[in-house]
Amino acid sequence: MKILIVDDSSTMRRIIGNVVMQLGFSKDDFDEAEDGVKAWKLLSESAYDIILTDWNMPNMNGLELVKKVRSEGNHKKIPIIMITTEGGKSEVITALKAGVNNYIVKPFSAEILKEKLDGVLN
Ligand SMILES: [Mg+2]
């Protein structure tokens, strides 16, 4: 199981990583990227089972990353959960249309992430 965590905030990446570890995964089970460009590079180099991505990031934002993943490369069908402060209905619809499998609004609890992870992985 390999998880890709994408967020421009190192604090947020640490929080998400900690939650992922609370759910029983180890540090070896996830990689981190600070923007869509870095994430895309990692995706071109290794295989991943799920992407947890922020929306607002420099260089390539989360929405652009989702569209790119869904249209090119080796991870077209990979489950993607967007974790963002953009909690408005129209943002959620935009993200779902772009191809995210689920959506979490920050701040979130470990239970919420577990529920959404279980939902997209099973
Ligand atoms: Mg951000």
Side-chain angles (χ1 to χ4, degrees):
M1 179 73 189
K2 197 81 180 173
I3 302 167
L4 181 57
I5 298 171
V6 192
D7 200 303
D8 58 326
S9 157
S10 59
T11 304
M12 191 50 65
R13 292 199 303 276
R14 194 171 63 240
I15 289 170
I16 295 170
N18 284 339
V19 172
V20 162
M21 287 195 284
Q22 277 178 46
L23 300 178
F25 297 99
S26 77
K27 241 190 152 75
D28 295 332
D29 292 323
F30 63 87
D31 286 335
E32 299 178 20
E34 68 212 32
D35 60 31
V37 173
K38 268 259 177 67
W40 184 252
K41 186 170 186 295
L42 289 173
L43 286 162
S44 69
E45 292 167 352
S46 332
Y48 290 93
D49 300 294
I50 184 164
I51 300 172
L52 306 178
T53 186
D54 184 23
W55 186 320
N56 297 305
M57 299 180 288
N59 305 318
M60 187 198 299
N61 69 33
L63 192 65
E64 293 166 332
L65 175 65
V66 171
K67 288 177 179 169
K68 196 167 172 70
V69 167
R70 288 291 180 251
S71 62
E72 47 182 305
N74 302 322
H75 291 82
K76 288 197 186 79
K77 298 240 164 90
I78 189 172
I80 303 175
I81 298 177
M82 190 163 264
I83 305 177
T84 174
T85 52
E86 301 292 343
K89 226 179 202 153
S90 69
E91 281 87 5
V92 176
I93 291 168
T94 299
L96 290 173
K97 272 191 183 153
V100 307
N101 299 78
N102 221 317
Y103 201 91
I104 298 174
V105 179
K106 295 171 186 170
F108 61 96
S109 63
E111 293 81 65
I112 289 287
L113 181 59
K114 183 179 180 352
E115 191 184 302
K116 307 269 176 169
L117 274 176
D118 287 348
V120 299
L121 294 174
N122 299 328

